[in-house]
Amino acid sequence: MLRRVHTFAPVLPVIAVIALLGLPLTPGAGGAGPADAVSGLVVLYCAIRLLRDRSRPLTPTAAAVMGLPVLGLSIAAMGASSPGAGLSGLGRYLQIFVLVPAAVVLLIRDRRDFRLLAWSFVSLALWQGAIGVKQYVTATGASYQGEDIRAVGTFGPTDVMGMATVVSFGLICALALALGRNDARQRAVAACCALALLLPLALSFSRGAWIATAATCALQLALAGLRRALKVAAAVTAAAVVLVGGFGVGTAMLQERIDSITQVTDTPDQSVIDRYTMWAAATAMWREHPLTGVGLKGFPEHRDGNASLALSSGSDTEGAGAAFLKQPLLSPHNMYLLVLSEQGLLGLLTLAGSWLALLVCALRGLFRVHRAQLPSLDCALISTGLLIWQLIDFAYADIGGPSTVLTAVIFGVVAWWSLVGANAEEQPRVATPVRAPAEGALTQ
């Protein structure tokens, strides 16, 4: 057992970050949590390993791709309304999009480490999903249309997207593992996990998560091949019939939520109106400062001066162990518009340019795996799927809340495949001395 733990030792701190997201949070608490603190230790741990092993860090290409956002962030930090706001905003962005992803890239050595992280995502999703289903059944979840039935897991009503995000990541990983070329038992277990996660995802009542997950899973199925796509589609249809017909999951509220997806332009509810209003405010901020934006953490300060009277005073949250709270609307709930308003075109081009480069490299690796019939198809589908889901999600959400640290880990996982794993041949792990260069490490 100790030998097995030693085998995966470098990646265990990353798994600890994922595991900490399964712990209950203090009701009403927001922002950084225990997982954020451990993510900082992961960066420190990675730096110590690099110094101890005297290994060279990222290749010039990888350093350029992962370090590109630093330029726009630094300029936006200097344009913040106060040095404190600039430094705190810069630290948060560097944590999520630069430092933690780079540490994850350097700590993952090969595809076994990668798959272990994927199963960690699935395990966390199953745990949060089970709590969410219990919340729905026992009416102890977050408030939704006057009833405490919304599944939010341990994240509470102030981070209603937290459980939906975790479950979506787990479902994408499970589906990719089921579509891979590994042993049949592992694929069967992964397929069962993917089907099980459909229920908590539905009970999250998160329209954005539904859209992003459906689009991503459809793309994964298409990339995996027609035969597999038909088999999985049949399984999903059967599961939906069982859930709706057998367990009565297709409640009137769920059906109404699904129907509302097509009504966001005709008869939008107040949450959609607020979102449109904040999008317009973010666009107005960008027009005033097109190149560098209003500065990091500047959206709340400039919101009222650019928003119309249609914007409500905040979002009502309660349930899941928390008292009633009027949560202020401090961001446009669109990552692209948040970056555009606070960092301008320069920030958007550098940050989104890094994401686009990762996507191109991930897809190139996926097509290479398909052509060569390599056994790393699951890794390619996981990375591509996670990145596509995140890029879709950023169209209606932004960073914030305890679950945000998982986004940093996701970008690290995606970056490892895009910049390392996609270019390495599948080889069995060989026992090496502790100070020997790790397999799959990035070298110049």
Side-chain angles (χ1 to χ4, degrees), residues 285-426:
M285 295 178 201
W286 166 67
R287 290 197 184 108
E288 294 177 2
H289 306 273
L291 187 59
T292 58
V294 297
L296 290 182
K297 293 208 168 186
F299 182 88
E301 181 180 347
H302 293 79
R303 182 199 64 183
D304 292 341
N306 292 276
S308 69
L309 296 178
L311 183 65
S312 65
S313 59
S315 176
D316 297 341
T317 62
E318 64 178 322
F324 175 82
L325 175 67
K326 177 74 74 171
Q327 190 172 11
L329 304 174
L330 302 178
S331 72
H333 294 291
N334 181 304
M335 190 64 198
Y336 305 108
L337 290 179
L338 176 62
V339 173
L340 191 64
S341 63
E342 294 187 344
Q343 303 177 40
L345 278 175
L346 181 61
L348 183 62
L349 290 176
T350 53
L351 197 58
S354 175
W355 303 338
L356 181 60
L358 290 178
L359 180 60
V360 171
C361 293
L363 290 172
R364 184 179 63 182
L366 175 62
F367 295 144
R368 174 179 174 272
V369 166
H370 259 302
R371 287 195 304 267
Q373 292 294 304
L374 295 175
S376 54
L377 177 62
D378 55 341
C379 299
L381 291 174
I382 288 171
S383 300
T384 306
L386 290 175
L387 182 56
I388 290 175
W389 189 96
Q390 192 64 74
L391 295 181
I392 296 175
D393 173 78
F394 278 162
Y396 52 82
D398 48 49
I399 58 174
S403 61
T404 300
V405 69
L406 194 62
T407 301
V409 178
I410 290 299
F411 273 107
V413 167
V414 171
W416 181 86
W417 166 258
S418 301
L419 303 172
V420 185
N423 302 315
E425 295 295 333
E426 184 83 21

Side-chain angles (χ1 to χ4, degrees), residues 21 25 28-31 142 150-166 317 327 398-405:
L21 288 171
L25 298 172
R150 187 168 190 174
V152 292
T154 63
F155 295 101
T158 58
D159 189 12
V160 293
M161 280 292 296
M163 190 211 75
T165 299
V166 168
T317 62
Q327 190 172 11
D398 48 49
I399 58 174
S403 61
T404 300
V405 69

Side-chain angles (χ1 to χ4, degrees), residues 3 6-7 109-110 112 428-437 439:
R3 185 176 181 180
H6 180 266
T7 302
R109 296 163 297 169
D110 54 31
R112 288 181 62 185
R429 176 176 295 171
V430 180
T432 56
V434 175
R435 294 181 180 271
E439 178 187 347

Side-chain angles (χ1 to χ4, degrees), residues 15-36:
I15 295 177
V17 174
I18 300 173
L20 284 172
L21 288 171
L23 298 179
L25 298 172
T26 303
D36 289 276

